[in-house]
Amino acid sequence: MQKTIIAPVKFTHVQCGDCPIRHRAVCARCDSDELTSLEETKYYRSFEAGQTIVWSGDRMDFVGSVVTGIATLTQTMEDGRRQMVGLLLPSDFVGRPGRETAAYDVVATTDLVMCCFRKKPFEELMVQTPHVGQRLLEMTLDELDAAREWMLLLGRKTAREKIASLIAIIARRDASLKMQKSEGRVVVDLPLTREAMSEYLGLTLETVSRQISALRKDGIIEVEGKRHITIPDFDRLIEEAGDDSDGGFLV
Amino acid sequence: MQKTIIAPVKFTHVQCGDCPIRHRAVCARCDSDELTSLEETKYYRSFEAGQTIVWSGDRMDFVGSVVTGIATLTQTMEDGRRQMVGLLLPSDFVGRPGRETAAYDVVATTDLVMCCFRKKPFEELMVQTPHVGQRLLEMTLDELDAAREWMLLLGRKTAREKIASLIAIIARRDASLKMQKSEGRVVVDLPLTREAMSEYLGLTLETVSRQISALRKDGIIEVEGKRHITIPDFDRLIEEAGDDSDGGFLV
DNA sequence: TGCATGTCTTGATCTGGGTCAAGGCCCGGA
DNA sequence: TCCGGGCCTTGACCCAGATCAAGACATGCA
């Protein structure tokens, strides 16, 4: 079912460049003895689009971070209603130190590579190396802010505003990673199916589709194929998103 | 407008008992030199029900925790739509180290006493004293879990389920603080107006009122006055809340 | 005592988004 | 080349919850 790749040669150059645990939290400031012990437990795992990485309630004995691709955290009610509660892009952290079992389904929505550490050694490292904990605190606070922005979206925005917000969020994160802008026109490839979008936004798949069509008809976005979107005027999209002030620069 | 009380005698016994920063994070494990410097900047502030403590965007040069009463974090859109994004009960932490300005309106929904620290010395303490940061990380992770439970509520639950969930959440937090249960019958005093509930739940005030009436008619809850609620069968309430498995033990 | 204000309830009506259903498009495999 | 299955779009209809409106009840102040 899942291909597990243990630190193959081809990933070597990735280890320092893309792994936030090492790169952001550790490399710069800590002595390397700690790192060596962590390094021993580090491994890479690949998943195919659509694969579930962990089921809610399952034992989860690793933490890690996304290297490439996109993963989601989703909650499910008994009758099958689903709500996405986390969208994980490259460099995002997965897993909660100090927790035995996963609280959410973790799903790869695109092909995905994760950098993982066994939880126990990672927790030991956290105790010994304050910077790791501090960096994790920062990241968690950022996620909390993102969750709160998301709550405003879920609780108070209209379907049209929700769609506009989601496109803006993805465009911004994309841009901050890859600088895809070209003089005002922003180009995004949606990494989510309509269904995943509906789970993000608390809508049905049909409403997502209708609202994307509506934004297209109104010239807010241009759609090529199903996923490729061009935003001719980003400010207009932001207006449609109904965001307050600096709105949604988080996550 | 706001009464500021600086460490009066009558609060002395409170300082160790109720203040989570000192009590939970610091007292037990750290040397007291650090504490002394923090102690100098510690002060108590009281607010009346309805008072806004900080406006979103305002400079906020303190962090703190709720000693008694209830505060909320709320986001507002330009057209006035409001969504609560944080509900702060006694012992909850307020403020984000490393941030200059408040990201949300902080409002006292009941009379409130907060224990505050100037932000700068607190941040210095965090660098020097890892346990404070570790404790804060734990608390932030708990808040993130709560936010995600809240997102499921906002995105996927019906009005009736939302009301039942909110009553259950408050009852559980009350119970964990004060053990109010008496053989199956649980008694809660809602600390929120109907309007605050509507802001929590992403509903209108009228829908909140109607659904409370509906739950009363169906015998799920008994209502005395406007705020005093008795839950004859807690499990039935949980069923109405539609919670998955252990549902909502978080927060 | 009477009035104003804040909080809550209830009724009547409207509507945004859900539900159900049909069909289009594209890709991969027989 | 055709077929089957994802994925997406669009239409028709419906309903949960929003909106608009009236009034109940309690408290505090003149």
Side-chain angles (χ1 to χ4, degrees):
Chain A
M1 184 90 182
Q2 83 205 8
K3 304 175 289 185
T4 301
I5 301 173
I6 304 199
V9 177
K10 62 173 174 173
F11 282 121
T12 307
H13 75 283
V14 169
Q15 294 184 13
C16 259
D18 290 348
C19 169
I21 295 168
R22 169 158 190 170
H23 183 65
R24 293 209 208 153
V26 183
C27 279
R29 304 157 82 181
C30 301
D31 56 69
S32 54
D33 284 359
E34 312 290 4
L35 272 185
T36 311
S37 72
L38 188 64
E39 201 67 26
E40 286 165 17
T41 71
K42 180 178 180 174
Y43 55 98
Y44 288 82
R45 292 176 71 184
S46 298
F47 303 90
E48 285 167 26
Q51 242 186 300
T52 295
I53 298 169
V54 197
W55 293 97
S56 170
D58 281 2
R59 193 175 165 67
M60 184 165 168
D61 54 3
F62 67 95
V63 297
S65 65
V66 176
V67 177
T68 60
I70 293 190
T72 61
L73 306 182
T74 306
Q75 276 192 310
T76 310
M77 295 172 69
E78 316 89 86
D79 61 7
R81 280 175 282 175
R82 288 169 65 79
Q83 175 63 52
M84 197 188 296
V85 296
L87 180 64
L88 305 169
L89 303 199
S91 92
D92 283 338
F93 187 82
V94 186
R96 169 163 178 170
R99 167 172 293 165
E100 286 291 295
T101 57
Y104 318 101
D105 297 338
V106 184
V107 181
T109 53
T110 64
D111 288 344
L112 181 73
V113 178
M114 282 189 52
C115 166
C116 303
F117 302 85
R118 287 195 301 112
K119 191 152 61 80
K120 194 129 167 286
F122 184 80
E123 281 165 1
E124 283 159 15
L125 180 79
M126 273 188 46
V127 174
Q128 291 156 15
T129 320
H131 296 131
V132 175
Q134 281 164 22
R135 176 69 196 135
L136 201 53
L137 175 58
E138 255 178 76
M139 293 175 82
T140 307
L141 286 165
D142 285 342
E143 264 194 280
L144 187 55
D145 279 327
R148 286 172 166 163
E149 199 73 34
W150 201 337
M151 284 168 58
L152 174 66
L153 178 149
L154 290 171
R156 294 302 184 191
K157 289 190 178 180
T158 64
R160 169 182 264 245
E161 288 169 339
K162 286 178 175 182
I163 296 288
S165 299
L166 177 56
I167 294 172
I169 286 168
I170 292 172
R172 262 193 273 246
R173 288 204 49 167
D174 247 38
S176 70
L177 288 170
K178 297 187 273 177
M179 280 300 167
Q180 283 195 323
K181 271 192 202 183
S182 65
E183 65 274 354
R185 289 179 76 79
V186 180
V187 176
V188 205
D189 276 295
L190 296 178
L192 302 174
T193 63
R194 299 289 185 264
E195 186 179 35
M197 289 191 234
S198 76
E199 287 177 5
Y200 185 112
L201 299 171
L203 296 170
T204 59
L205 169 163
E206 293 96 324
T207 298
V208 169
S209 185
R210 271 186 257 272
Q211 294 298 334
I212 288 177
S213 298
L215 289 177
R216 179 169 44 69
K217 274 176 201 128
D218 297 346
I220 311 292
I221 58 175
E222 291 157 22
V223 185
E224 205 179 329
K226 288 155 194 320
R227 305 285 193 87
H228 190 78
I229 287 187
T230 305
I231 306 158
D233 181 350
F234 200 78
D235 291 339
R236 245 183 108 201
L237 181 70
I238 298 304
E239 272 172 47
E240 293 292 341
D243 276 327
D244 53 329
S245 58
D246 45 3
F249 68 98
L250 301 161
V251 167
Chain B
M1 183 93 181
Q2 83 206 6
K3 302 176 291 186
T4 301
I5 302 173
I6 304 199
V9 177
K10 63 172 175 172
F11 282 120
T12 306
H13 76 283
V14 169
Q15 295 184 11
C16 258
D18 290 348
C19 169
I21 296 169
R22 168 156 191 173
H23 183 66
R24 294 208 206 155
V26 183
C27 278
R29 304 157 83 180
C30 301
D31 56 69
S32 54
D33 284 358
E34 312 291 4
L35 273 186
T36 310
S37 72
L38 189 63
E39 200 67 25
E40 287 165 18
T41 71
K42 181 178 179 176
Y43 55 100
Y44 288 83
R45 293 176 71 184
S46 298
F47 302 90
E48 285 167 26
Q51 241 186 299
T52 295
I53 298 168
V54 197
W55 294 96
S56 169
D58 280 3
R59 194 174 165 67
M60 184 165 169
D61 54 3
F62 67 95
V63 298
S65 65
V66 176
V67 177
T68 59
I70 293 190
T72 62
L73 306 182
T74 306
Q75 277 191 309
T76 309
M77 296 171 69
E78 315 89 86
D79 61 5
R81 281 175 282 175
R82 287 169 67 78
Q83 175 64 52
M84 197 189 295
V85 296
L87 180 64
L88 305 170
L89 304 199
S91 92
D92 283 338
F93 187 82
V94 186
R96 169 163 178 170
R99 169 173 293 165
E100 287 291 296
T101 56
Y104 318 101
D105 297 338
V106 184
V107 181
T109 53
T110 64
D111 288 343
L112 181 73
V113 178
M114 283 189 51
C115 167
C116 303
F117 302 85
R118 287 195 301 112
K119 191 152 62 82
K120 195 129 168 286
F122 184 81
E123 281 166 359
E124 283 158 14
L125 179 80
M126 273 189 47
V127 175
Q128 290 156 15
T129 321
H131 296 132
V132 174
Q134 280 164 23
R135 176 70 195 134
L136 200 54
L137 175 58
E138 255 179 76
M139 293 174 83
T140 306
L141 285 165
D142 285 342
E143 264 194 279
L144 187 57
D145 280 327
R148 285 170 166 165
E149 199 73 34
W150 201 337
M151 283 168 59
L152 175 65
L153 178 148
L154 289 171
R156 294 302 183 193
K157 289 191 177 177
T158 64
R160 168 180 265 244
E161 287 169 339
K162 286 178 175 182
I163 296 288
S165 299
L166 177 56
I167 294 172
I169 286 168
I170 292 172
R172 262 193 274 246
R173 290 206 47 168
D174 246 38
S176 70
L177 289 169
K178 297 188 272 178
M179 281 302 168
Q180 283 196 321
K181 270 192 202 185
S182 65
E183 65 275 353
R185 290 178 76 79
V186 180
V187 176
V188 205
D189 276 296
L190 296 178
L192 302 175
T193 63
R194 299 288 185 266
E195 186 179 34
M197 289 192 232
S198 75
E199 288 177 6
Y200 186 111
L201 299 171
L203 296 171
T204 59
L205 170 163
E206 293 95 323
T207 298
V208 169
S209 186
R210 272 187 254 271
Q211 293 299 333
I212 288 177
S213 298
L215 289 177
R216 179 170 44 70
K217 274 178 201 127
D218 297 346
I220 311 292
I221 58 174
E222 292 157 20
V223 185
E224 204 178 330
K226 288 155 192 320
R227 306 284 194 87
H228 190 79
I229 288 187
T230 304
I231 306 157
D233 181 349
F234 200 79
D235 291 339
R236 246 183 106 201
L237 182 70
I238 298 303
E239 272 172 46
E240 293 291 343
D243 276 328
D244 53 328
S245 56
D246 45 3
F249 69 98
L250 301 161
V251 170

